[in-house]
Amino acid sequence: MDIVTRFINYIKINTTTNRKNGSLGIMPSNPNETKLAKLLESELKELGLTNIKRRDNAITTAVLPSNSSKKLPKIAFFAHLDTSAEQTNDTKAQIHKFNGGEICLNKELNIYLKDESLKNYIGDEIITTDGTSLLGADDKAAIASIMNAVKYFVDNPKIEHGDVTVCFVPDEEQGLRGAKALDINEIDADFGYCLDCCEIGELIYENWNAGNAEVTFNGVSAHPMNAKGNLINSLLLAHKFISMLPSGEAPEYTENKEGYFWVKELSGNSAQTILKLDIREFDEKKYHERMKFLNELTNSLKKLWGDERISIDLSHRYKNVFNYLKSEDATPIKLAKKAFKNLNITPKIKPMRGGYDGSVISEKGIPCPNLFTGAHNFHSIYEFLPVSSLKASSNTVIEIIKLAANLEK
């Protein structure tokens, strides 16, 4: 099976993450994630991998055993089964021979793909939808890439490699739930790679340190006719708190590695109001300073308003992968860059102003940069995947495994 056919087969299974089910703790949130996991389980068995395990929550793992007498690094590759919730329609894929200009996705609905980056793919084949759904290359291009790489080594048993673990997790698209549920003790790897970023050449090994704050403001309700001296409006207390946050340190004012406080949700009434904030910072020290600032601000307002008027709950969501890679000379980074060079792929190294499964997996003990899938416009009906980029993604996985065979421990 060629990689394009493999990808098309995977996107035919609608695995849109179900936020309602996820909020109820159901995993996988969409039963079709289990359907896709079962298909992958069957394909892994056909390929002859070992230690194949599909769990009730759809987390699926398998091992391509080492064929070397040397003690080589053990590598894991990760992808997620679900697609984002922006669109729930079934995917109707189209493959276009691109010769320039626009791509008509749906003539009847007058939907055209007009993207500046298309100019880089003249002469290529481009996979799109019919404009009524996501393509699902996030993250089924990754699954196809990994499975195609595994097949390459099965078909070429004389090419030396160490142990390679593949792992597919559910519900990345709602809080990295699958990665958080993963028992890392079941993954025997020295380091790993997620495949969950975009165009050809993207390599990510920095992302946010991410935290949450929930601030509760307790007022005193009163009827307006006798409110004077009695009413304490919790909504106004919340607004005073917000006004004390640093000016300009919000998502709409920041870029690159600039951190922020994001006032994300405010709900309540005069009696009680709850404020939810996201805290984001690349630098670990600055991240802890932001969390400390919120805690100290709350304590200061307790002294002003009284302990009963305000409380804060701070929690951590995920950490920066680079906290665990430590330096640019980390083995997984060096291998990825060398693979790019060998394949004549120009690296596009960028910090991710977000998180991915590798954020959680790295914290659990397997340092895990993020490799490109080749797709553009994730989470959009204009998502598209150049075939050459999909092949390059899989070739990168293959090249990393080959390069690791020169790193006897």
Side-chain angles (χ1 to χ4, degrees), residues 1 3 11 22 24 50 57 62 102 109 133 156 176 223 227 237 273 275 315 319 330 358 367 385 391-392:
M1 185 191 313
I3 192 170
I11 63 174
L24 296 173
T50 63
N57 60 12
E102 307 171 346
L109 297 176
S133 73
N156 296 274
L176 316 180
H223 194 283
L237 296 180
T273 298
L275 169 66
S315 59
K319 293 187 177 181
L385 176 62
K391 292 178 178 178

Side-chain angles (χ1 to χ4, degrees), residues 137-153:
D138 175 17
D139 200 29
K140 291 168 186 170
I143 299 173
S145 176
I146 293 168
M147 293 294 287
N148 185 73
V150 168
K151 185 177 187 302
Y152 172 86
F153 287 102

Side-chain angles (χ1 to χ4, degrees), residues 115-395:
D115 194 293
E116 180 67 20
S117 60
L118 280 172
K119 66 184 180 184
N120 298 319
Y121 304 107
I122 293 174
D124 204 345
E125 291 184 312
I126 308 289
I127 308 173
T128 72
T129 71
D130 67 346
T132 63
S133 73
L134 306 183
L135 179 61
D138 175 17
D139 200 29
K140 291 168 186 170
I143 299 173
S145 176
I146 293 168
M147 293 294 287
N148 185 73
V150 168
K151 185 177 187 302
Y152 172 86
F153 287 102
V154 170
D155 290 345
N156 296 274
K158 292 184 179 180
I159 297 177
E160 189 177 30
H161 61 82
D163 283 349
V164 177
T165 297
V166 299
C167 179
F168 306 113
V169 300
D171 295 326
E172 186 270 351
E173 297 289 359
Q174 46 177 317
L176 316 180
R177 294 179 67 234
K180 290 176 180 177
L182 177 66
D183 183 352
I184 206 67
N185 295 315
E186 295 185 345
I187 307 292
D188 186 10
D190 298 299
F191 55 87
Y193 297 90
C194 283
L195 279 75
D196 195 14
C197 53
C198 302
E199 65 180 301
I200 183 170
E202 283 198 359
L203 172 61
I204 290 169
Y205 45 84
E206 291 186 86
N207 61 279
W208 289 128
N209 292 290
N212 309 317
E214 183 170 298
V215 191
T216 301
F217 302 88
N218 295 304
V220 177
S221 59
H223 194 283
M225 64 183 173
N226 65 341
K228 186 174 182 179
N230 296 313
L231 175 66
I232 300 176
N233 192 331
S234 72
L235 285 162
L236 296 182
L237 296 180
H239 281 281
K240 288 176 182 177
F241 182 97
I242 294 168
S243 72
M244 295 177 189
L245 296 176
S247 177
E249 296 182 15
E252 60 267 37
Y253 304 120
T254 55
E255 60 183 351
N256 300 321
K257 292 187 179 182
E258 297 171 334
Y260 58 69
F261 296 106
W262 185 6
V263 176
K264 199 168 185 180
E265 183 179 324
L266 186 67
S267 59
N269 51 39
S270 62
Q272 186 180 76
T273 298
I274 295 176
L275 169 66
K276 295 183 180 180
L277 301 104
D278 283 358
I279 301 92
R280 298 290 186 268
E281 190 66 67
F282 280 90
D283 182 89
E284 191 170 21
K285 182 181 177 182
K286 290 181 179 179
Y287 168 72
H288 288 297
E289 288 173 352
R290 286 188 180 277
M291 298 294 265
K292 182 181 178 182
F293 171 83
L294 291 177
N295 203 43
E296 291 180 345
L297 175 58
T298 300
N299 288 335
S300 296
L301 292 174
K302 281 183 178 181
K303 292 177 183 178
L304 183 64
W305 298 338
D307 286 352
E308 72 279 11
R309 295 287 166 248
I310 181 172
S311 62
I312 190 167
D313 179 25
L314 296 171
S315 59
H316 302 288
R317 187 177 297 183
Y318 53 80
K319 293 187 177 181
N320 187 344
V321 169
F322 200 71
N323 297 345
Y324 308 97
L325 293 163
K326 302 296 185 184
S327 83
E328 301 271 347
D329 290 327
T331 297
I333 296 175
K334 288 169 66 176
L335 282 179
K337 289 180 177 178
K338 178 64 173 173
F340 281 20
K341 183 177 180 180
N342 290 355
L343 296 169
N344 294 314
I345 296 171
T346 302
K348 301 179 179 72
I349 299 167
K350 59 172 69 173
M352 176 182 274
R353 289 174 67 85
Y356 65 99
D357 282 333
S359 314
V360 173
I361 295 165
S362 296
E363 187 175 358
K364 288 185 174 186
I366 300 177
C368 200
N370 194 357
L371 299 172
F372 70 92
T373 61
H376 292 248
N377 301 335
F378 281 9
H379 297 198
S380 166
I381 62 169
Y382 300 109
E383 187 180 11
F384 70 91
L385 176 62
V387 169
S388 63
S389 298
L390 174 61
K391 292 178 178 178
S393 173
S394 190
N395 288 339

